[in-house]
């Protein structure tokens, strides 16, 4: 049982038994998130995991915190309601490439624009998993899917470029199979006040095993900086390491071009947050007595 | 001078020329005399349609009376119209009393003498007397100095004289409304009012009218339906309003944006209709009461989230200010056509609690009762208002404040107003644990997936059947708590006329008229429209015939939504006898005529 005084442990963060496929990267994300909460000693009682629909949407069920598994694509507005109503809560949003970039694209635009405080984790397996193998916005050109048996006709959206383009105040990319990098990325994201966009390369052995080559690391380059996320040489020994200052937006765009091959902190910049601005406006308003509510309508 | 206990008239101008502003000031004059007013603006759906076109018709219909008014009435006896195209357009609505009068501003006659002649001939053929109005040259000059603005002030002066309001009083109201205007501009406006007043003294004295007032000491307020909803939201203890702009619901958000922070509330403008309800649900999951408001198209968009709130047992309140439908329909006209979308709209058999408002006063208390029901039942509650109620202003006795913090504080008079008893103390939920984030030892996850009593995802046949049973039992609690609805007239007889929502005022006035004229008929009005009270069949059975009147389409092969619902609930042959989807409210005179025809047929 959770209390606010006992230390947070991995065991107590376990809830329902996960029902993902064998080898699914979502397991690694789940365990990584639990590890992170233990590492930071984040109180589950004041934590809410919010999700939409899809394989990623199931994560809240498996985390022994508070949680809402909401509707497809729309975790962001639900999380915003919590951010405005209960600003002290820690909010983690789990979303997928279809959930975030397709059906929920509008909310992602505005979540990023509003820059309210949460950690937004995009599980990118480049495919619709739960509905069984349909093209997603990040599916590579040419991949044969149930809905596009001739191969996906378009080049994919690059989620990092998408977030940067929308003016996100925090944009990072990591991969679930790079355990330490994943933890370090979450940690920087958690500390950022605002909407922290975390892209996670995620394996889907069932429907899209070619999405990410996790057995080889020569295609990977880490973006490294003192204010960023350290390269994970253990998880990706053959990766190249590139110095990148996360305050340099132009360079961030260069690294985000084309298919995702760079991991690390692309961009980080503090900016005013919609949640605090909105709450401050109410806080600072000259207060009136509810007993005089109708007086100005008197005739 | 004529003396009347009630009178209805129109002021019609091109959109953007200030007809509503003049109307707003004029009703202050009436209210100040102790008269009751009911005012319905006519607003085009567009922002500023080209002037001197029929699309540009904008204005107000005002009904003023000695006693309290429940509706806008049937026909206007006087119209003041800015130019001939608008007269022609307004005649299309057939809302004038034959024998009534049109005052037509002849200012544009030189531009288009033929259409002037045509419109005046049409008005005369319709039995209306046409009196020409010519704004004097000096006033014309002042209007030019005001960049073409100010005709509305001349017309205001005309009405000031006709209705026997003193210029001193009117000048005070004009000065109050235009308190931000520079002194010289204000002075020019006052000159224009004077000019209209003098003009009427000279030319229109035959129209002068006295409506006696019965002044009393009771405090009165002047308010429209959407403002009342906004103020009700504040008084009901709701803390967050989350909405997206849509006609005619937007003004709720406008009012709250200005006033809610002063009472500690938050107003959030979402990126779309779906996000608006999502944020309200997120807030309520966090234990912070929240509300969203929309109109028809927005209600369609919100349906999936309404279903989530139902299944995950998160309280949820949605206001739907109905407008003409389907699709984009008639954004600035009234209709009662969202009943089924509200009660049954969500996929997968998730019937909600749907309550309607019959008046501006109901609007003020609707958020309280909705909050009471949704927090007790953890079932979404929909409040159905409509365009007519949202924009209609009226004068009424100052309402008692509730200053509700928790639903246990709800005033008994609010439950009575909605004809419902208090719900049982304890109500079974699908999930036993209903904790909110921050509660120690009661961590939980909610979902739109089916769950068992522990709240864990379950696909077994027993759990889904049980969840349906528990959810429906919540609605049964409402069915059992609903009291005999409001009756007008005897509780048995030949004919019962049933209405819901904003049709109450028209129904009541029609029944009163019939009784005065010796026609035997009863009326019934329902505020709670889903679920319905259990004794309805028994109540209906005491009448030989039960009919409905609704502002919605129906014909001999297609029953209206409300009559369909009543039929299915009672298995009685309830039919709509007035089912107009003209965008205009029902008229008391139509209802009286319909009742008389039915009584006649019956008596023969």
């Amino acid at each position: 049982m959770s209390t606010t005084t006992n230390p947070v442990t991995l065991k107590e963060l376990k809830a329902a038994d996960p029902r993902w496929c064998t080898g699914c990267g979502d397991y690694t994300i789940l365990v990584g998130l639990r590890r992170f909460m233990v590492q930071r000693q984040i109180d589950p009682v004041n934590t809410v995991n919010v999700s939409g629909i899809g394989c990623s949407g199931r994560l809240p069920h498996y985390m022994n915190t508070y949680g809402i598994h909401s509707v497809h694509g729309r975790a962001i507005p639900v999380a915003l309601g919590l951010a405005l109503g209960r600003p002290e809560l820690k909010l983690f949003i789990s979303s997928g490439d279809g959930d975030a970039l397709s059906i929920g694209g509008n909310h992602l635009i505005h979540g990023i624009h509003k820059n309210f405080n949460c950690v937004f984790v995009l599980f990118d397996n480049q495919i619709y998993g739960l509905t069984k193998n349909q093209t997603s916005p990040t599916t590579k050109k040419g991949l044969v899917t149930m809905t596009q048996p001739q191969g996906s006709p378009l080049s994919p959206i690059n989620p990092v470029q998408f977030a940067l383009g929308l003016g996100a105040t925090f944009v990072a990319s990591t991969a679930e199979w790079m355990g330490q990098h994943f933890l370090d990325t979450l940690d920087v994201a958690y500390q950022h006040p605002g909407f922290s966009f975390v892209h996670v390369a995620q394996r889907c052995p069932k429907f899209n095993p070619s999405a990410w080559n996790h057995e080889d690391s020569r295609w990977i380059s880490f973006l490294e900086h003192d204010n960023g996320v350290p390269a994970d040489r253990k998880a990706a020994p053959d990766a190249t390491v590139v110095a990148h200052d996360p305050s340099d937006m132009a360079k961030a765009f260069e690294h985000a071009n084309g298919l995702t091959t760079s991991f690390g902190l692309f961009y980080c910049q503090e900016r005013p947050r919609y949640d605090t601005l909105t709450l401050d406006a109410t806080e600072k308003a000259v207060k009136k007595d509810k007993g005089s509510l109708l007086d100005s309508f008197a005739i | 001078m004529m003396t009347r206990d009630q009178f209805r008239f129109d002021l019609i101008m091109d959109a953007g020329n200030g007809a509503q502003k003049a109307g707003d000031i004029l009703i202050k004059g009436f209210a100040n005399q102790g008269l009751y007013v009911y005012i319905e603006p006519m607003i085009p759906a567009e922002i500023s349609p080209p002037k001197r076109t029929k699309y540009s018709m904008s204005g107000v219909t005002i009904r003023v009376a000695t006693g309290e008014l429940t509706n806008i009435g049937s026909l206007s006896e006087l119209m003041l119209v800015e130019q001939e195209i608008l007269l022609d357009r307004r005649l299309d609505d057939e809302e004038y009393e034959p024998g009534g009068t049109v005052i037509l501003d002849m200012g544009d006659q030189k531009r288009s003498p033929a259409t002037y002649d045509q419109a005046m001939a049409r008005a005369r053929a319709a039995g209306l007397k046409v009196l020409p109005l010519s704004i004097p040259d000096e006033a014309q000059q002042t209007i030019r100095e005001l960049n073409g603005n100010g005709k509305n002030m001349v017309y205001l002066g005309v009405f000031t004289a006709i209705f026997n309001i003193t210029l001193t009083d009117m000048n005070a109201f004009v000065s109050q409304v235009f308190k931000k205007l520079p002194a010289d501009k204000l002075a020019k406006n006052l000159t224009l009012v004077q000019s209209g007043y003098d003009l009427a003294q000279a030319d229109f004295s035959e129209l002068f009218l006295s409506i006696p007032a019965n002044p009393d000491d009771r405090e009165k307020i002047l308010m429209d339906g959407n403002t009342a909803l906004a103020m009700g939201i504040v008084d009901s203890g709701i803390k967050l309003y989350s909405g997206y702009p849509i006609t005619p619901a937007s003004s709720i958000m406008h009012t709250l944006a200005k006033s809610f922070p002063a009472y500690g509330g938050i107003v959030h403008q979402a990126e779309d209709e779906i996000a608006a309800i999502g944020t309200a649900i997120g807030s309520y999951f966090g234990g912070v009461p929240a509300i969203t408001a929309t109109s028809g198209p927005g209600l369609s968009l919100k349906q999936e989230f309404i279903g989530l709130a139902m299944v995950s047992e998160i309280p949820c309140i949605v206001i739907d200010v109905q407008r003409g439908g389907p699709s984009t329909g008639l954004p600035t006209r009234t209709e009662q056509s969202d009943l089924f979308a509200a009660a049954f709209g969500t996929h997968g058999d998730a019937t909600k609690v749907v309550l309607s408002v019959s008046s501006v006063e109901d609007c003020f208390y609707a958020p309280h009762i909705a909050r009471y029901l949704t927090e007790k039942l953890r079932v979404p509650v929909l409040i159905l208002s409509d365009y007519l109620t949202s924009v209609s202003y009226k004068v009424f006795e100052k309402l008692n404040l509730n200053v509700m913090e928790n639903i246990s504080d709800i005033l008994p008079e609010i439950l009575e107003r909605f004809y419902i008893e208090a719900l049982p103390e304890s109500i079974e939920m699908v999930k036993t644990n209903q904790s909110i984030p921050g509660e120690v030892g009661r961590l939980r996850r909610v979902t739109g997936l089916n769950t068992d009593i522990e709240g864990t995802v379950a696909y077994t046949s027993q759990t889904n059947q049980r969840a349906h049973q528990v959810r429906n039992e919540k609605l049964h609690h409402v069915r059992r708590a609903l009291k005999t609805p409001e009756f007008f007239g005897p509780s048995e007889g030949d004919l019962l006329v049933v209405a819901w929502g904003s049709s109450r005022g028209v129904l009541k006035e029609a029944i009163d008229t019939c009784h005065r004229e010796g026609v035997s008929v009863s009326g019934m009005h329902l505020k709670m429209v889903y679920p319905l009270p259990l004794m309805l069949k028994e109540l209906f059975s005491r009448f030989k015939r039960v009919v409905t009147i609704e502002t919605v389409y129906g014909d001999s092969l297609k029953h209206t939504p409300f009559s369909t619902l009543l039929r299915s609930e009672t298995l009685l042959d309830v039919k709509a006898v007035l089912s107009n989807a003209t965008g205009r409210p029902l008229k008391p005179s139509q209802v009286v005529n319909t009742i008389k025809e039915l009584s006649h047929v019956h008596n023969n």
Side-chain angles (χ1 to χ4, degrees):
Chain A
M1 182 180 286
S2 304
T3 69
T4 44
T5 49
N6 291 345
V8 182
T9 62
L10 277 179
K11 194 178 163 207
E12 76 166 342
L13 287 172
K14 283 188 184 172
D17 292 333
R19 300 180 188 177
W20 291 307
C21 310
T22 305
C24 175
D26 291 357
Y27 283 102
T28 338
I29 295 176
L30 173 68
V31 172
L33 190 58
R34 287 184 192 148
R35 280 207 179 119
F36 168 68
M37 284 188 67
V38 171
Q39 184 180 296
R40 273 265 161 203
Q41 285 295 296
I42 298 169
D43 184 1
V45 170
N46 290 308
T47 300
V48 187
N49 276 288
V50 187
S51 67
I53 297 294
C55 297
S56 63
R58 298 302 179 95
L59 183 130
H61 291 282
Y62 313 140
M63 287 291 290
N64 196 21
T65 63
Y66 281 92
I68 314 184
H69 175 207
S70 73
V71 299
H72 200 8
R74 320 205 193 275
I76 288 171
V78 174
L80 179 60
L82 284 159
L84 293 173
R86 298 285 306 278
E88 77 283 12
L89 297 173
K90 312 295 180 203
L91 301 174
F92 293 88
I93 301 175
S94 297
S95 188
D97 38 299
D99 194 59
L101 297 167
S102 197
I103 192 167
N106 191 32
H107 307 305
L108 182 55
I109 292 172
H110 293 279
I112 286 173
H113 180 223
K114 290 194 168 67
N115 194 34
F116 70 97
N117 199 27
C118 67
V119 177
F120 180 87
V121 185
L122 197 162
F123 300 28
D124 182 12
N125 58 5
Q126 304 178 7
I127 199 80
Y128 280 83
L130 199 60
T131 47
K132 299 179 177 63
N133 201 12
Q134 296 88 9
T135 307
S136 96
T138 59
T139 299
K140 281 183 195 134
K141 189 175 176 180
L143 188 80
V144 172
T145 68
M146 294 298 276
T147 43
Q148 286 171 337
Q150 283 78 38
S152 172
L154 295 176
S155 296
I157 287 175
N158 181 316
V160 169
Q161 197 178 39
F162 181 87
L164 286 169
L166 292 170
T169 60
F170 181 99
V171 184
S173 184
T174 184
E176 41 80 12
W177 65 88
M178 303 192 295
Q180 192 57 48
H181 194 263
F182 179 82
L183 277 179
D184 292 342
T185 306
L186 273 189
D187 201 54
V188 196
Y190 179 73
Q191 290 179 66
H192 174 73
F195 192 97
S196 302
F197 180 91
V198 180
H199 171 253
V200 183
Q202 178 232 321
R203 292 165 291 175
C204 178
K206 188 84 177 171
F207 294 121
N208 197 6
S210 67
W212 306 104
N213 184 356
H214 63 280
E215 286 168 343
D216 185 4
S217 59
R218 283 171 297 182
W219 60 278
I220 291 173
S221 63
F222 285 113
L223 306 181
E224 213 178 32
H225 192 268
D226 287 348
N227 300 331
V229 179
D232 189 345
R233 290 177 174 80
K234 193 174 153 207
D238 299 321
T240 50
V241 179
V242 182
H244 171 68
D245 179 350
S247 67
D248 188 342
M249 188 189 270
K251 273 270 186 286
F253 271 107
E254 284 177 28
H255 291 301
N257 203 15
L259 295 175
T260 304
T261 53
S262 298
F263 295 99
L265 181 57
F266 282 74
Y267 188 69
C268 181
Q269 177 72 53
E270 276 192 43
R271 271 208 291 273
R273 288 160 43 189
Y274 177 78
D275 48 346
T276 46
L277 291 170
T278 306
L279 294 170
D280 285 353
T282 289
E283 183 77 32
K284 285 178 190 150
V286 178
K287 293 293 176 291
K288 288 186 189 163
D289 175 17
K290 277 194 184 175
S292 59
L293 184 65
L294 297 178
D295 289 3
S296 61
F297 300 96
I299 47 164
Chain B
M1 192 188 293
M2 284 189 290
T3 300
R4 295 285 301 275
D5 62 355
Q6 67 98 25
F7 190 81
R8 184 182 127 155
F9 63 100
D10 295 351
L11 169 60
I12 295 163
M13 300 180 72
D14 274 321
N17 286 0
Q20 277 113 25
K21 180 63 86 182
D24 286 353
I25 300 173
L26 185 59
I27 55 177
K28 284 179 193 288
F30 290 132
N32 183 55
Q33 292 181 332
L35 293 169
Y36 286 91
V37 286
Y38 199 104
I39 177 166
E40 189 202 356
M42 282 169 242
I43 304 167
E46 297 77 17
I47 304 162
S48 299
K51 292 190 199 296
R52 284 191 55 76
T53 65
K54 61 183 178 177
Y55 316 110
S56 182
M57 183 177 78
S58 181
V60 279
T61 297
I62 297 176
R63 192 180 183 200
V64 52
T66 305
E68 191 157 1
L69 288 169
T70 58
N71 67 87
I72 194 64
S74 303
L75 302 171
S76 294
E77 296 180 59
L78 172 66
M79 319 182 208
L80 198 168
V81 192
E82 188 183 359
Q83 38 87 347
E84 86 290 3
I85 296 170
L86 299 178
L87 171 60
D88 195 47
R89 166 64 189 82
R90 182 58 175 153
L91 290 173
D92 289 346
D93 292 334
E94 297 185 349
E95 291 194 16
Y96 47 85
E97 185 83 48
T101 306
V102 174
I103 300 176
L104 180 61
D105 189 330
M106 305 303 281
D108 286 353
Q109 193 190 21
K110 278 186 194 155
R111 271 172 85 163
S112 187
T115 49
Y116 258 87
D117 289 347
Q118 218 173 339
M120 288 194 289
R122 185 180 171 197
R124 288 190 187 109
L128 294 163
K129 182 172 184 178
V130 182
L131 301 178
L133 177 153
S134 295
I135 298 180
D137 291 345
E138 281 168 36
Q140 298 277 17
Q141 178 56 31
T142 311
I143 289 168
R144 276 192 291 276
E145 287 162 20
L146 290 167
N147 299 321
N149 297 315
K151 263 195 212 175
N152 60 338
M153 291 296 111
V154 178
Y155 303 155
L156 178 62
V158 170
F159 285 124
T160 304
I162 290 176
F163 291 106
N164 207 15
I165 301 168
T166 69
L167 254 185
T168 321
D169 281 350
M170 189 48 72
N171 284 345
F173 298 130
V174 173
S175 307
Q176 188 192 333
V177 170
F178 291 130
K179 57 178 181 262
K180 285 182 187 161
L181 269 191
D184 60 321
K185 278 197 177 169
L186 175 62
K188 281 178 182 160
N189 276 286
L190 293 176
T191 316
L192 292 174
V193 176
Q194 170 88 52
S195 151
Y197 186 85
D198 295 344
L199 194 154
Q201 294 285 355
D203 296 349
F204 306 133
S205 58
E206 62 185 287
L207 299 173
F208 286 12
L209 190 65
S210 162
I211 302 165
N214 284 329
D216 57 46
D217 293 340
R218 292 174 301 182
E219 264 192 282
K220 300 208 182 58
I221 55 176
L222 173 68
M223 203 182 256
D224 64 81
N226 273 4
T227 307
L229 276 167
M231 292 300 114
I233 286 168
V234 177
D235 189 56
S236 70
I238 287 167
K239 295 284 187 285
L240 183 131
Y241 176 92
S242 173
Y244 182 78
I246 187 166
T247 304
S250 300
S251 63
I252 301 170
M253 182 155 51
H254 302 166
T255 303
L256 287 171
K258 277 187 276 186
S259 54
F260 210 7
Y263 301 102
I266 297 166
V267 177
H268 165 59
Q269 181 183 334
E271 61 269 29
D272 60 34
E273 290 283 356
I274 306 176
I277 186 173
T279 295
I281 289 173
S283 174
Y284 237 137
F285 178 67
V288 178
I291 192 166
T292 185
T294 189
S295 185
L299 179 63
S300 296
L301 287 166
K302 290 180 192 307
Q303 293 286 4
E304 189 187 9
F305 257 127
I306 292 174
L308 174 78
M310 185 83 184
V311 170
S312 61
E313 298 182 309
I314 300 171
C316 173
I317 309 170
V318 179
I319 297 169
D320 172 27
V321 185
Q322 299 169 94
R323 63 193 218 186
S327 189
T328 313
L330 300 171
T332 56
R333 297 288 186 269
T334 204
E335 208 166 278
Q336 295 183 290
S337 50
D338 290 349
L339 176 57
F340 280 5
F344 308 115
T346 312
H347 67 269
D349 189 14
T351 47
K352 285 85 61 182
V353 176
V354 185
L355 60 95
S356 65
V357 289
S358 74
S359 62
V360 178
E361 298 94 309
D362 281 351
C363 289
F364 183 76
Y365 293 117
H368 302 71
I369 189 77
R371 202 187 143 199
Y372 173 80
L373 293 168
T374 197
E375 290 186 29
K376 287 289 285 186
L377 302 165
R378 304 184 84 87
V379 160
V381 174
L382 285 98
I383 298 169
L384 292 184
S385 179
D386 53 26
Y387 174 75
L388 174 71
T389 313
S390 74
V391 292
S392 299
Y393 286 80
K394 64 175 281 199
V395 170
F396 50 94
E397 262 186 66
K398 193 173 175 186
L399 302 166
N400 289 329
L401 297 177
N402 193 156
V403 198
M404 193 160 105
E405 270 308 311
N406 300 305
I407 55 167
S408 54
D409 307 337
I410 193 166
L411 293 175
E413 66 181 70
I414 299 176
L415 295 172
E416 281 163 26
R417 174 177 283 272
F418 289 92
Y419 294 85
I420 189 167
E421 309 270 5
L423 294 176
E425 200 53 44
S426 158
I427 289 169
E428 187 185 6
M429 296 287 140
V430 174
K431 300 174 283 291
T432 317
N433 184 359
Q434 293 289 340
S435 63
I436 59 166
E439 283 185 44
V440 176
R442 302 187 69 207
L443 294 172
R444 68 180 187 123
R445 275 68 56 191
V446 297
T447 172
L449 287 165
N450 182 56
T451 64
D452 60 19
I453 194 166
E454 307 295 335
T456 39
V457 176
Y459 303 143
T460 62
S461 42
Q462 294 87 345
T463 52
N464 200 48
Q465 176 70 11
R466 174 186 170 271
H468 272 288
Q469 182 257 317
V470 172
R471 280 194 292 272
N472 279 285
E473 187 58 29
K474 295 180 187 183
L475 280 115
H476 301 339
H477 282 302
V478 178
R479 288 185 168 92
R480 288 188 285 262
L482 285 171
K483 299 195 288 192
T484 299
E486 186 178 22
F487 255 100
F488 307 113
S491 60
E492 58 186 337
D494 289 336
L495 179 63
L496 177 68
V497 184
V498 190
W500 69 283
S502 63
S503 303
R504 179 188 178 275
V506 171
L507 175 67
K508 181 177 187 300
E509 184 166 326
I511 299 282
D512 287 348
T513 307
C514 285
H515 288 173
R516 271 201 309 277
E517 296 179 11
V519 180
S520 165
V521 62
S522 294
M524 181 196 274
H525 179 263
L526 287 143
K527 286 184 189 172
M528 196 68 76
V529 280
Y530 200 86
L532 291 168
L534 291 168
M535 79 299 277
L536 211 52
K537 180 169 188 167
E538 195 226 324
L539 297 174
F540 284 6
S541 302
R542 297 179 197 164
F543 291 86
K544 290 185 182 149
R545 186 162 182 197
V546 181
V547 299
T548 68
I549 53 166
E550 300 167 62
T551 317
V552 66
Y553 184 78
D555 61 34
S556 61
L557 295 180
K558 188 264 183 192
H559 295 293
T560 59
F562 186 53
S563 64
T564 303
L565 189 58
L566 296 178
R567 293 170 73 86
S568 77
E569 294 271 323
T570 63
L571 291 182
L572 295 171
D573 189 18
V574 181
K575 282 188 180 133
V577 287
L578 258 187
S579 50
N580 294 343
T582 59
R584 302 291 306 141
L586 296 172
K587 299 177 177 66
S589 59
Q590 287 176 315
V591 180
V592 169
N593 290 340
T594 306
I595 291 170
K596 284 179 180 170
E597 279 167 30
L598 292 172
S599 304
H600 182 69
V601 169
H602 191 81
N603 291 338
N604 289 343

